[in-house]
Amino acid sequence: MEIVFATNNLNKLREVQTLVPDHIELLSLKDIHCTEDIPETQPTIEGNAIQKAEYVKTKYGYDCFADDTGLEVDALKGEPGVYSARYAGPQRDANDNMDKLLNNLEPYEDRSAQFKTVVALHLNGKLKTFTGICRGEITTSKHGEKGFGYDPIFKAEGYAETFAEISMEEKNKIGHRGKAVHSLINYLNTL
């Protein structure tokens, strides 16, 4: 089975490739010569994932899946949420985003948060979504060199280390994207 993962984020692509079974050939947007920015104009994480999957299916004809992820901080009423990648501006800079979040969270004692990933699968003319959530908390400073995005300031429940301090294998076991992708793969394995 050949399927496109609709992302330009090489970190996400590498993370997901480690989860996909051998009988599924994972193609990137580069593999299908999709070089444009895929629109993400929906007001929800689910909406953006669906929009991206439908865009690739409609414009390129490939079965595909797309994901969207947001970090939802309880004290900030779910911010940055759907705007996680552009929280500090259109430059999509992870350090700027983390700095803004840490600054906005300073007055609050409650640092609980969750990462939420929705994967939208467009396959054989049908659309299906899979959601993964990882609860945890935001640290007061950055720790670790692994991972990407907000990983240096997020500790999953039951962990003393941030996502940027644990291995990719461990993160895939407990993390939001890993949970959503495992649900996707379990579904694909039933076909």
Side-chain angles (χ1 to χ4, degrees), residues 45 68-72 80-84 114-118 176:
I45 293 166
D68 198 38
T69 296
L71 176 62
E72 300 171 331
V82 73
Y83 304 106
S84 293
Q114 69 179 23
F115 267 119
K116 177 181 179 181
T117 293
V118 176
H176 48 292

Side-chain angles (χ1 to χ4, degrees), residues 129-142:
T129 60
F130 307 88
T131 301
I133 289 175
C134 182
R135 292 285 306 162
E137 65 180 33
I138 304 300
T139 58
T140 55
S141 60
K142 301 171 195 168

Side-chain angles (χ1 to χ4, degrees), residues 7-173:
T7 185
N8 283 312
N9 184 323
L10 295 178
N11 291 307
K12 276 188 193 179
L13 187 63
R14 273 194 290 275
E15 203 172 274
V16 170
Q17 277 174 328
T18 65
L19 300 171
V20 173
D22 293 339
H23 73 278
I24 297 172
E25 184 184 352
L26 194 61
L27 301 175
S28 68
L29 291 176
K30 186 177 177 184
D31 292 331
I32 64 167
H33 308 290
C34 174
T35 56
E36 67 268 26
D37 279 338
I38 297 174
E40 294 181 65
T41 57
Q42 300 304 306
T44 64
I45 293 166
E46 294 87 349
N48 277 339
I50 291 167
Q51 182 180 26
K52 290 188 276 188
E54 288 181 337
Y55 182 90
V56 170
K57 181 64 177 176
T58 302
K59 188 154 185 190
Y60 292 90
Y62 285 91
D63 286 331
C64 72
F65 65 92
D67 80 316
D68 198 38
T69 296
L71 176 62
E72 300 171 331
V73 180
D74 295 353
L76 301 178
K77 297 179 176 61
E79 276 188 23
V82 73
Y83 304 106
S84 293
R86 298 173 198 81
Y87 192 47
Q91 72 277 15
R92 295 173 164 233
D93 183 84
N95 280 309
D96 291 350
N97 289 337
M98 285 186 284
D99 290 343
K100 179 177 179 178
L101 181 61
L102 291 173
N103 187 53
N104 287 352
L105 203 49
E106 240 174 58
Y108 300 96
E109 280 186 39
D110 178 11
R111 301 186 77 81
S112 57
Q114 69 179 23
F115 267 119
K116 177 181 179 181
T117 293
V118 176
V119 173
L121 172 67
H122 209 302
L123 181 67
N124 302 327
K126 293 183 181 151
L127 186 67
K128 191 160 178 57
T129 60
F130 307 88
T131 301
I133 289 175
C134 182
R135 292 285 306 162
E137 65 180 33
I138 304 300
T139 58
T140 55
S141 60
K142 301 171 195 168
H143 301 279
E145 300 296 319
K146 300 175 191 157
F148 59 97
Y150 293 91
D151 287 356
I153 62 169
F154 182 82
K155 279 195 303 192
E157 282 181 349
Y159 279 75
E161 307 87 8
T162 67
F163 269 180
E165 295 175 295
I166 62 176
S167 69
M168 186 185 296
E169 293 75 29
E170 188 68 17
K171 183 183 169 190
N172 278 339
K173 279 186 212 163

